[in-house]
Amino acid sequence: MSASLVFLGHSTVLLEIGGVRVLTDPVLRGRLLFLRRHAAPVAVGHYAEVDAVVLSHLHHDHCDLHSLALLGRDVRLIAPDGAEGFLRKRGFRRVVTLAAGQSHQVGPVTVTATPAVHDGRREPFGPRAAAVGYLVGDGQTVAYFAGDTDLFAGMRGLSPDLDLALIPVWGWGPNLGPGHLDPERAADAVALLRPRRAVPVHWGTLFPYGLRPFFADRLRSPARAFAAAVAARGLPTEVALLAPGSGLTWHP
């Protein structure tokens, strides 16, 4: 059985592995706080009837409550340790929380939380939950969704046979704060992970109101710079540059 993904913008990706549809960090609307979406709208078909949602951390651009509500209060949410009370108080009834190293089964697919180097606190006054990434696999193929993270030594050997890595290469503004990867450091992550293919995410979608005319390159250049950095390192990983709304299929 083939596996596939659709990049929906920012850190939102629809993964289909083993017939299971997993949605990562869904941001499905055109506006989010002071950010505006600069990409095609997300088609309803890309988030209808998902089997599970994985949330890497509680930051607003990764855990958008309005977007989660579009999926229904009974959607299965897999979230980091410390997030359960926050999500249940917002009416979500099926919440599973994982610490790094713990797993949850969704049909034939195993979802395993991985470490992440990032502050997972919900700003400004929300709970301080963990930040994690996830391995999603069915025994034939495995994908790594990094969430938000800086480099960490455990990336080496995180999965011995990694088909796909979804790697953040930027953010939502002109500059990056701590706990993020820029294109060069994202390429260093690929050197540690050694996936067969990599798709850059966390770029080209959200930007603060009024700043696009001054920093338009931030919406275009990070993914290309990442691909160039991977090539410059002589890595065998195939980099797929996907515009929001486009996809990729691979065979285990």
Side-chain angles (χ1 to χ4, degrees):
M1 180 184 293
S2 63
S4 66
L5 70 87
V6 182
F7 175 45
L8 301 179
H10 202 56
S11 285
T12 308
V13 176
L14 176 66
L15 283 169
E16 187 158 351
I17 294 175
V20 174
R21 288 162 60 90
V22 177
L23 193 64
T24 70
D25 287 356
V27 174
L28 305 174
R29 54 192 179 126
R31 292 179 177 149
L32 175 67
L33 299 177
F34 54 87
L35 303 175
R36 181 179 176 186
R37 184 179 178 90
H38 294 277
V42 180
V44 174
H46 289 320
Y47 60 83
E49 299 181 358
V50 298
D51 297 293
V53 170
V54 295
L55 298 174
S56 63
H57 59 296
L58 295 184
H59 287 179
H60 292 270
D61 61 318
H62 293 260
C63 177
D64 176 40
L65 296 173
H66 293 281
S67 295
L68 292 177
L70 292 174
L71 304 172
R73 301 292 174 178
D74 287 317
V75 66
R76 185 185 334 214
L77 301 181
I78 303 173
D81 199 25
E84 182 172 6
F86 173 80
L87 293 167
R88 288 194 181 275
K89 285 179 182 177
R90 273 73 186 173
F92 297 100
R93 291 181 279 268
R94 300 178 67 196
V95 181
V96 176
T97 56
L98 301 176
Q102 294 180 326
S103 298
H104 179 72
Q105 203 71 24
V106 185
V109 167
T110 302
V111 178
T112 302
T114 66
V117 181
H118 194 72
D119 182 1
R121 182 187 175 108
R122 179 83 169 185
E123 299 291 353
F125 306 115
R128 184 181 294 279
V132 297
Y134 293 96
L135 293 170
V136 182
D138 66 349
Q140 294 186 320
T141 190
V142 61
Y144 170 53
F145 169 57
D148 265 355
T149 187
D150 205 338
L151 285 171
F152 59 93
M155 284 182 171
R156 187 184 302 277
L158 192 66
S159 175
D161 194 25
L162 192 59
D163 289 295
L164 170 73
L166 302 171
I167 300 293
V169 301
W170 196 251
W172 47 253
N175 303 298
L176 283 176
H180 294 90
L181 296 172
D182 62 14
E184 289 289 334
R185 290 175 68 76
D188 290 339
V190 170
L192 294 172
L193 292 161
R194 296 284 172 163
R196 292 184 179 87
R197 54 193 64 81
V199 173
V201 300
H202 212 285
W203 70 280
T205 310
L206 300 176
F207 217 69
Y209 285 102
L211 292 188
R212 181 177 180 177
F214 305 100
F215 300 99
D217 64 304
R218 302 296 197 278
L219 285 163
R220 299 190 299 264
S221 62
R224 294 196 300 266
F226 166 70
V230 171
R233 286 159 175 75
L235 299 173
T237 298
E238 173 192 348
V239 176
L241 301 183
L242 301 179
S246 58
L248 172 71
T249 298
W250 71 95
H251 297 276

